[in-house]
Amino acid sequence: VTDARQKLHFDMLFAVARKAGCVDENIKLEHVTFGSVLGDDGRPFKTRSGENVKLKALLDEAVKRAKTVVEEKNPDLPDEKKEKIAEAVGIGAVKYADYSNNRTSDYVFSFDRMLAMQGNTAPYMQYAYARVKSIERRGQIDIENELKDIKALNLSAPAELDLAKHLIRYSEAISAAVADYRPNYITAYLYELAQKFSSFYNACPVL
């Protein structure tokens, strides 16, 4: 798993390994390439010159920025709760942004885009998850227990049927992601799922 610019190197390495008899035909050699992370100037971060950001600093900055957003939106929350939310949102934003990009494409690193509440971002996904949990909390129910004895489903509303059809495609998304080494297939599936759930949530009151 390396930068796409090393493709020729690995093509040659794999060819030599087979010719030398180090690897037989039953073993699959795969170079999983990824694009470059670009700065605001559109140029790749360079590790040798030291201008790249260390992971710890990156995560700390993401949490710090998420905390600012939490302070603006929910100033009355207890400090401990703010810290917990900021960590979940900040670190989730960095991880999700990395997974959601097509791994072979270059992308411009942007905290603002990672922490946006709209679009294919971690905060949007976390908000969708919070909506699901709010149904449980407000209804004082355990969804898994509610569902375990159901033998048949009556899906009549269009938004409900659309959501159900998408849910049963989950294994397809997983299989495709594994086959092509592309985690972004899963994030794309989940983003569409969150959108379909939002439509269902608005159209079909369930409490």
Side-chain angles (χ1 to χ4, degrees), residues 72-90:
E72 288 172 2
K73 293 187 176 296
N74 301 97
D76 299 330
L77 283 176
D79 287 343
E80 188 179 335
K81 187 79 171 172
K82 288 177 185 173
E83 295 286 348
K84 191 173 181 183
I85 292 171
E87 186 169 341
V89 172

Side-chain angles (χ1 to χ4, degrees), residues 1-195:
V1 180
T2 73
D3 190 316
R5 290 172 293 183
Q6 297 184 44
K7 182 179 184 305
L8 179 60
H9 168 79
F10 281 100
D11 286 347
M12 294 164 70
L13 178 66
F14 295 163
V16 169
R18 292 209 187 276
K19 282 184 177 293
C22 300
V23 180
D24 64 35
E25 293 303 318
N26 296 322
I27 294 177
K28 183 179 179 183
L29 298 174
E30 186 86 31
H31 178 207
V32 180
T33 62
F34 57 82
S36 299
V37 182
L38 311 177
D40 291 331
D41 59 359
R43 296 181 178 179
F45 286 126
K46 295 181 178 66
T47 53
R48 289 180 187 172
S49 62
E51 65 187 55
N52 60 309
V53 182
K54 296 288 188 283
L55 179 60
K56 184 181 185 308
L58 173 67
L59 295 177
D60 287 347
E61 180 66 16
V63 172
K64 180 181 168 186
R65 289 182 182 232
K67 177 83 178 290
T68 302
V69 175
V70 174
E71 292 277 9
E72 288 172 2
K73 293 187 176 296
N74 301 97
D76 299 330
L77 283 176
D79 287 343
E80 188 179 335
K81 187 79 171 172
K82 288 177 185 173
E83 295 286 348
K84 191 173 181 183
I85 292 171
E87 186 169 341
V89 172
I91 293 177
V94 173
K95 291 166 74 174
Y96 191 84
D98 205 30
Y99 288 136
S100 62
N101 282 291
N102 182 339
R103 66 168 171 78
T104 59
S105 301
D106 296 346
Y107 73 93
V108 175
F109 182 86
S110 167
F111 274 121
D112 291 340
R113 194 166 65 242
M114 285 181 184
L115 294 169
M117 286 300 296
Q118 298 300 320
N120 190 8
T121 64
Y124 177 81
M125 299 301 298
Q126 289 165 325
Y127 179 68
Y129 174 74
R131 275 185 144 182
V132 176
K133 299 305 287 184
S134 75
I135 293 175
E136 264 187 316
R137 188 173 60 254
R138 286 161 54 203
Q140 297 183 321
I141 55 171
D142 181 327
I143 289 178
E144 286 190 25
N145 282 334
E146 289 284 320
L147 297 176
K148 68 181 182 182
D149 295 324
I150 293 178
K151 300 289 189 269
L153 294 174
N154 176 23
L155 305 175
S156 52
E160 184 179 36
L161 192 58
D162 195 33
L163 176 62
K165 286 178 178 178
H166 192 70
L167 281 167
I168 60 174
R169 291 183 47 228
Y170 179 59
S171 61
E172 291 176 23
I174 296 291
S175 297
V178 170
D180 290 348
Y181 310 104
R182 291 184 188 273
N184 64 298
Y185 289 173
I186 299 173
T187 56
Y189 169 85
L190 293 174
Y191 176 54
E192 192 175 346
L193 175 63
Q195 290 178 307

